[in-house]
């Protein structure tokens, strides 16, 4: 038997099992959904409503406190909720 004729045994397939716990728990996902809802609400408030007359620039509508103060604050609060959701450790039942 020469080297080229040597029979090789078929390689065994190794199954890798991921035994690590999931990265996020249900509570984390609930915080994430809450953050997305708050961000979406802030975006909607920033967009504002339909102008009564599109040909006329209404400074009170464009620079209203709702659009330049409250809506950006809601977006920042939503981003803060997302950060909390990512870093919050799940409660262990053990």
């Amino acid at each position: 038997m020469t080297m080229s004729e040597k029979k090789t045994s078929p390689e065994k397939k190794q199954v890798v099992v991921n035994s690590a716990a999931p990265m996020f728990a249900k509570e984390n996902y609930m915080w994430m959904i809450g953050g997305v809802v708050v961000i979406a609400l802030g975006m909607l408030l920033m967009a504002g409503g339909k102008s009564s007359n599109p040909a006329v620039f209404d400074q009170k509508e464009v620079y209203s406190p709702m659009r330049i103060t409250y809506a950006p604050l809601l977006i920042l609060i939503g981003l803060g909720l997302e950060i909390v959701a990512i870093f919050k450790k799940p409660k262990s039942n053990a």
Side-chain angles (χ1 to χ4, degrees), residues 22-38:
M23 189 183 309
F24 298 121
K26 183 180 178 181
E27 184 180 5
N28 295 85
Y29 288 115
M30 296 304 287
W31 279 95
M32 285 182 198
I33 291 170
V36 167
V37 168
V38 172

Side-chain angles (χ1 to χ4, degrees), residues 39-83:
I39 291 171
L41 181 63
M43 290 290 195
L44 287 172
L45 290 175
M46 194 179 295
K50 183 178 172 183
S51 179
S52 56
N53 186 359
V56 176
F57 179 74
D58 188 8
Q59 190 171 358
K60 289 180 183 177
E61 283 185 24
V62 174
Y63 299 113
S64 68
M66 183 68 67
R67 286 188 179 178
I68 65 169
T69 304
Y70 304 131
L73 282 176
L74 276 176
I75 293 171
L76 290 175
I77 290 169
L79 290 173
L81 286 175
E82 292 297 327
I83 291 170

Side-chain angles (χ1 to χ4, degrees), residues 2-41:
T2 64
M3 286 282 237
S4 60
E5 295 175 355
K6 253 188 194 178
K7 290 186 177 181
T8 57
S9 64
E11 292 183 23
K12 294 181 181 179
K13 293 185 179 180
Q14 294 181 354
V15 178
V16 178
V17 178
N18 187 3
S19 62
M23 189 183 309
F24 298 121
K26 183 180 178 181
E27 184 180 5
N28 295 85
Y29 288 115
M30 296 304 287
W31 279 95
M32 285 182 198
I33 291 170
V36 167
V37 168
V38 172
I39 291 171
L41 181 63

Side-chain angles (χ1 to χ4, degrees), residues 83-94:
I83 291 170
V84 167
I86 291 170
F87 286 109
K88 186 167 179 57
K89 291 188 180 188
K91 295 178 183 175
S92 63
N93 293 333

